[in-house]
Amino acid sequence: MSKGTILIIDDEEQLRKLLGRLLALEGYTILEAGSVKAALRLLEREEVQVILSDVKLPDGNGVELTQSLKQKYPDVEIVVLTAYGNIEDGVQAIKNGAFDYITKGDDNHRILPLASKAMDKARLQSRVRELEDRIGGKHDFENIIGESVEIKDAIALARKVAGTDVTVLLLGETGSGKEVFAQAIHRASERGSQPFVAVNCSAFGKEILESELFGHKAGAFTSAVKDKKGFLEEANNGTIFLDEIGEMAIELQAKLLRVLETREFYKVGDSKPIKVNIRIIAATNRELEKEIAEGHFRADLYYRLSAFQIKLPSLNDRRKDIPLLAQYFIQQLAPKNGRKISGMTAAFSKALREHSWKGNIRELRNVIERAVILSDTPELDVSALPLDFRVNGPTDDALTLADAERRHIIRILQLVKGNKTKAAEVMQIGLTTLYNKIKEYNIQ
């Protein structure tokens, strides 16, 4: 299991590779970037805890980069590296929020201990922020957005079961908000001030998930150099949320059943049982009865988990809530992306309500963030939506497919200041296709 992710930003590839190998041997996941631009692209799609950045980069300065990164990613810790020791740069780097500033070569012996300390601090800050969110009530039922009968019924059921210690099984499509409900149930329970530990069962292989859930003793396997607490032990006195439970290997299902029945388990490689006082909330997008019939899920575990079932509606089943959710995401994402956007046009709202949401709330959030980034008006308009939103039905302008496509291409070209390569990337089409479209639509 990785100790965390470290991003190395340096234009010297040989140094990046050497440093990366050194840190990888310590158990870290390593990402590399040779420029500020490449680093920013990585940070947009990867979760990073620690950054090691050179001062002199082809398209920027590591000291200045530290300031902008700390503003956008406050929990990430940054160690600034330089080939030439400079007291003034060092002082400024620390002022800008750097964890430390070291000289390449002279301070090589400090890199590993610094990386470890920076990782510890980053993880601690993340946990503190999570605790602040819990205390601040961000996961209460009051913060679940929606006025449709479907979502209100689900909330009503969740409120009733929250005050008990009954195991809950949340059913619903991917992206329908199962973890949000699990957190709200936990917060409203007597365990609300205790740990809430979320585990995505589909994110680990069988052996790794076993070690992560139950923990292990030193020497249990080759890389087990010290005792490790598992998620079950971390959640003691609180709640553990097992997302995508239908993905769990059937061998592990028997061990989880024992936890449900006895409230005790064995660490990997240990013969001494550990007692835990936990509540289990599970979730799945699969039909578990079908999985049982096919031999992929234990019937006895299903009956233990499904003492109280709550079916969460898909976004397509609660279209009344789409404008409310969209407005919430606008208010949340506009400031984050440096945009001043107050709302959306009627045509934009209509296009959202008419769309088929296969990815549910998660897909809606992504669509809103894309629109926020593309828009330069106070209200989001259909021109900021992907093309398929605007051609599935008539819009206020009664555009033909060709009209809509031509307008979309023009708008993207304007946003990227005529850079056709960038425009093709944004629209996810080939550069040759873009040139053909420009010619076809006589775009100047």
Side-chain angles (χ1 to χ4, degrees):
M1 181 62 183
S2 172
K3 291 182 179 178
T5 302
I6 297 178
L7 170 61
I8 303 171
I9 312 173
D10 199 304
D11 58 344
E12 294 180 36
E13 184 178 2
Q14 189 174 1
L15 179 64
R16 287 201 316 268
K17 298 294 182 188
L18 180 63
L19 191 53
R21 281 197 297 271
L22 185 67
L23 291 164
L25 288 172
E26 294 297 311
Y28 299 108
T29 298
I30 305 301
L31 300 174
E32 296 179 25
S35 65
V36 172
K37 186 178 180 181
L40 295 177
R41 282 201 301 266
L42 275 172
L43 287 166
E44 286 174 357
R45 63 177 187 266
E46 301 285 351
E47 187 174 343
V48 172
Q49 287 79 45
V50 174
I51 295 173
L52 304 181
S53 175
D54 191 15
V55 170
K56 293 187 177 181
L57 297 166
D59 54 347
N61 179 284
V63 176
E64 296 170 358
L65 178 63
T66 297
Q67 185 175 30
S68 61
L69 288 179
K70 288 297 287 184
Q71 288 172 352
K72 191 169 184 180
Y73 307 102
D75 292 342
V76 174
E77 290 304 323
I78 304 168
V79 177
V80 178
L81 313 174
T82 182
Y84 311 99
N86 182 306
I87 294 175
E88 185 178 341
D89 275 352
V91 171
Q92 190 59 49
I94 300 301
K95 283 184 178 179
N96 288 353
F99 182 79
D100 210 335
Y101 176 93
I102 61 176
T103 305
K104 297 177 186 176
D106 295 346
D107 294 328
N108 281 352
H109 63 284
R110 295 181 57 203
I111 290 177
L112 290 181
L114 264 181
S116 178
K117 290 178 182 177
M119 184 64 71
D120 288 343
K121 184 180 178 184
R123 289 190 178 283
L124 177 61
Q125 288 176 159
S126 180
R127 285 182 178 238
V128 168
R129 195 174 298 277
E130 182 182 338
L131 179 61
E132 288 173 345
D133 288 350
R134 260 207 327 262
I135 294 171
K138 291 185 179 180
H139 302 307
D140 288 344
F141 286 114
E142 288 76 11
N143 289 284
I144 296 178
I145 298 166
E147 295 179 353
S148 63
V149 173
E150 293 80 5
I151 198 66
K152 284 186 175 181
D153 286 348
I155 292 172
L157 284 173
R159 282 184 185 277
K160 286 181 180 179
V161 78
T164 73
D165 223 21
V166 172
T167 300
V168 179
L169 179 62
L170 300 173
L171 305 172
E173 296 177 5
T174 299
S176 57
K178 296 188 287 294
E179 184 169 348
V180 173
F181 264 78
Q183 289 173 329
I185 291 170
H186 169 72
R187 283 279 295 140
S189 74
E190 292 183 357
R191 300 174 182 269
S193 61
Q194 298 298 322
F196 175 88
V197 178
V199 184
N200 187 333
C201 298
S202 66
F204 303 95
K206 180 174 74 71
E207 290 78 12
I208 294 177
L209 180 58
E210 182 178 13
S211 174
E212 291 299 313
L213 270 179
F214 302 104
H216 60 249
K217 290 290 289 182
F221 44 87
T222 306
S223 59
V225 294
K226 60 181 180 180
D227 290 1
K228 172 185 168 60
K229 275 188 177 183
F231 290 135
L232 288 167
E233 199 171 353
E234 293 279 359
N236 194 28
N237 296 317
T239 301
I240 187 164
F241 173 55
L242 301 174
D243 198 9
E244 304 299 351
I245 189 73
E247 307 287 339
M248 181 180 284
I250 200 155
E251 298 89 342
L252 291 186
Q253 292 174 26
K255 294 189 175 184
L256 179 60
L257 180 62
R258 176 180 171 80
V259 176
L260 281 162
E261 291 175 340
T262 66
R263 298 302 181 194
E264 68 176 29
F265 63 92
Y266 293 88
K267 284 186 174 183
V268 178
D270 197 4
S271 57
K272 180 182 177 183
I274 295 175
K275 286 279 187 182
V276 283
N277 172 21
I278 56 173
R279 181 183 197 169
I280 294 178
I281 300 176
T284 183
N285 62 357
R286 294 193 172 199
E287 295 180 22
L288 292 185
E289 294 92 339
K290 183 180 177 182
E291 297 295 315
I292 291 169
E294 294 176 354
H296 300 147
F297 203 84
R298 293 179 63 107
D300 47 5
L301 177 59
Y302 171 70
Y303 295 127
R304 294 287 305 200
L305 289 173
S306 60
F308 196 98
Q309 292 188 21
I310 302 175
K311 178 73 167 71
L312 302 189
S314 69
L315 194 55
N316 291 326
D317 292 332
R318 47 181 293 216
R319 292 184 179 276
K320 178 182 178 181
D321 296 331
I322 291 174
L324 293 173
L325 288 162
Q327 185 62 42
Y328 168 76
F329 288 135
I330 291 169
Q331 292 172 350
Q332 183 188 61
L333 298 170
K336 174 187 169 185
N337 289 283
R339 297 287 195 272
K340 293 183 179 179
I341 297 171
S342 58
M344 55 193 152
T345 65
F348 186 92
S349 178
K350 180 173 182 287
L352 295 182
R353 292 195 306 275
E354 292 178 349
H355 182 65
S356 178
W357 296 97
K358 295 179 182 178
N360 291 290
I361 298 170
R362 194 174 300 153
E363 182 189 357
L364 174 62
R365 185 190 186 281
N366 292 341
V367 166
I368 295 300
E369 183 158 35
R370 177 187 185 278
V372 163
I373 292 169
L374 290 176
S375 181
D376 54 7
T377 58
E379 291 186 318
L380 297 183
D381 189 62
V382 288
S383 59
L385 285 168
L387 187 60
D388 60 312
F389 278 76
R390 292 175 279 135
V391 299
N392 286 342
T395 66
D396 289 353
D397 296 326
L399 296 178
T400 65
L401 174 59
D403 289 335
E405 188 172 48
R406 184 177 188 278
R407 288 191 182 190
H408 183 60
I409 292 171
I410 290 172
R411 176 159 185 77
I412 297 300
L413 285 167
Q414 289 172 339
L415 286 168
V416 299
K417 297 180 172 60
N419 185 327
K420 296 180 180 63
T421 301
K422 182 65 176 174
E425 289 177 4
V426 171
M427 290 184 283
Q428 297 181 354
I429 62 174
L431 187 57
T432 302
T433 302
L434 177 59
Y435 274 105
N436 290 338
K437 292 291 183 183
I438 290 172
K439 184 178 179 180
E440 178 184 349
Y441 294 133
N442 193 27
I443 297 171
Q444 301 300 317

